[in-house]
Amino acid sequence: MREIIFDTETTGLDAREDRIIELGCIELVNRFPTGNTFHHYINPEGRMINAEAEAVHGISAAQLVGKPTFSEIADLFLTFIDGAKLIAHNAGFDMGFINAEFARLGHSAVGSERVIDTLALARRKHPMGPNSLDALCRRYGIDNSHRTKHGALLDSELLAEVYVELIGGKQAALGLDGGLSQAGRRGGTEVELTIAMRPIPLASRLTEAERDAHKRLVESLGEKALWAKLAGGNSEAAE
């Protein structure tokens, strides 16, 4: 299963007029980061950055001079997200901007069926809140001390960790239900990890004669001597 955690930074709050100026994405396969990312600062094509917005993300107009426009990175972005679920915190805001940018280029909108909103997940799981990204990082013990300003790629990295916790933690992501093949990429190379639960307890595999022999051995050695034997003869380990 392939999912894309993403975040945007914008010139303001109105998707009809304001523009995306930063787009950051993290790829997950079977709920694990693969190391593949998509990140661009984007020239807003003359749209001024609202002062309140700049105070949040710290991106100035001067920093965006010479950066690509959304039209120049749109096809790369579409390729990166192709076939994946899209996950964002307060996803309606980010998707509003992304679909507005696509509409300007004549692209079809991304359908809501492809989008998961982690804010909605958090509100269901923690109805008393708070459920901001910072608050969820504190709740789940995720280090966000380096987050002094909002940033699309950094926020996506943090949200990837929060998302796994929201769906039940790392064990739920592993899905240990008898066996699992985990696929991903590391250093550009496909890797596969197969995790399997032991189907039959070892003790139940012993024959009746083997169990009797083991019982006699334990009785002859005594409990303390047995622990010493298992510990490699270390008498301290047996105490």
Side-chain angles (χ1 to χ4, degrees), residues 2 17 24-26 52 63 66 88 100 117 125 143 145 147 150 154 178 210 229-230:
R2 185 168 177 268
E17 301 293 338
C25 308
I26 302 291
E52 286 80 5
Q63 292 174 273
D117 184 1
K125 189 168 184 177
D143 181 13
S145 57
R147 188 186 189 237
H150 286 235
L154 171 60
E210 288 171 330
K229 184 178 178 65
L230 293 175

Side-chain angles (χ1 to χ4, degrees), residues 155-168:
D155 286 3
S156 295
E157 291 171 347
L158 293 172
L159 185 58
E161 295 188 65
V162 166
Y163 173 58
V164 170
E165 296 297 338
L166 284 172
I167 61 173

Side-chain angles (χ1 to χ4, degrees), residues 22-39:
E22 187 186 8
L23 177 58
C25 308
I26 302 291
E27 180 188 57
L28 304 183
V29 172
N30 294 329
R31 307 278 165 77
F32 284 86
T34 65
N36 287 347
T37 63
F38 181 92
H39 181 233

Side-chain angles (χ1 to χ4, degrees), residues 197-211:
M197 300 298 284
R198 182 181 292 133
I200 305 173
L202 289 174
S204 65
R205 300 182 189 180
L206 299 177
T207 66
E208 188 66 32
E210 288 171 330
R211 282 196 290 270

Side-chain angles (χ1 to χ4, degrees), residues 223-239:
E223 183 178 358
K224 183 174 180 179
L226 178 59
W227 280 110
K229 184 178 178 65
L230 293 175
N234 186 334
S235 60
E236 290 184 356
E239 294 178 355

Side-chain angles (χ1 to χ4, degrees), residues 123-152:
R123 285 172 172 167
R124 287 198 293 270
K125 189 168 184 177
H126 309 296
M128 301 303 292
N131 288 307
S132 68
L133 183 56
D134 282 334
L136 291 168
C137 284
R138 289 191 297 271
R139 180 186 291 274
Y140 293 123
I142 297 166
D143 181 13
N144 66 338
S145 57
H146 48 312
R147 188 186 189 237
T148 56
K149 294 281 188 181
H150 286 235

Side-chain angles (χ1 to χ4, degrees), residues 39-211:
H39 181 233
H40 281 281
Y41 290 100
I42 301 168
N43 190 304
E45 301 181 79
R47 179 69 181 181
M48 299 299 295
I49 300 175
N50 183 285
E52 286 80 5
E54 185 171 343
V56 171
H57 52 58
I59 303 171
S60 68
Q63 292 174 273
L64 301 175
V65 173
K67 300 300 182 185
T69 63
F70 190 88
S71 63
E72 292 174 310
I73 61 100
D75 287 341
L76 293 173
F77 177 57
L78 284 168
T79 298
F80 189 79
I81 67 174
D82 184 45
K85 287 280 189 180
L86 304 180
I87 301 162
H89 204 61
N90 192 18
F93 176 87
D94 299 281
M95 289 308 307
F97 274 88
I98 285 174
N99 281 333
E101 294 283 7
F102 281 151
R104 295 182 185 105
L105 301 175
H107 283 295
S108 300
V110 176
S112 60
E113 72 281 356
R114 288 184 59 188
V115 181
I116 296 173
D117 184 1
T118 52
L119 179 58
L121 293 180
R123 285 172 172 167
R124 287 198 293 270
K125 189 168 184 177
H126 309 296
M128 301 303 292
N131 288 307
S132 68
L133 183 56
D134 282 334
L136 291 168
C137 284
R138 289 191 297 271
R139 180 186 291 274
Y140 293 123
I142 297 166
D143 181 13
N144 66 338
S145 57
H146 48 312
R147 188 186 189 237
T148 56
K149 294 281 188 181
H150 286 235
L153 189 60
L154 171 60
D155 286 3
S156 295
E157 291 171 347
L158 293 172
L159 185 58
E161 295 188 65
V162 166
Y163 173 58
V164 170
E165 296 297 338
L166 284 172
I167 61 173
K170 292 180 175 58
Q171 289 303 312
L174 280 167
L176 296 179
D177 57 355
L180 171 68
S181 176
Q182 292 286 357
R185 282 185 286 277
R186 179 177 297 170
T189 304
E190 290 285 344
V191 296
E192 183 166 307
L193 170 65
T194 300
I195 302 170
M197 300 298 284
R198 182 181 292 133
I200 305 173
L202 289 174
S204 65
R205 300 182 189 180
L206 299 177
T207 66
E208 188 66 32
E210 288 171 330
R211 282 196 290 270

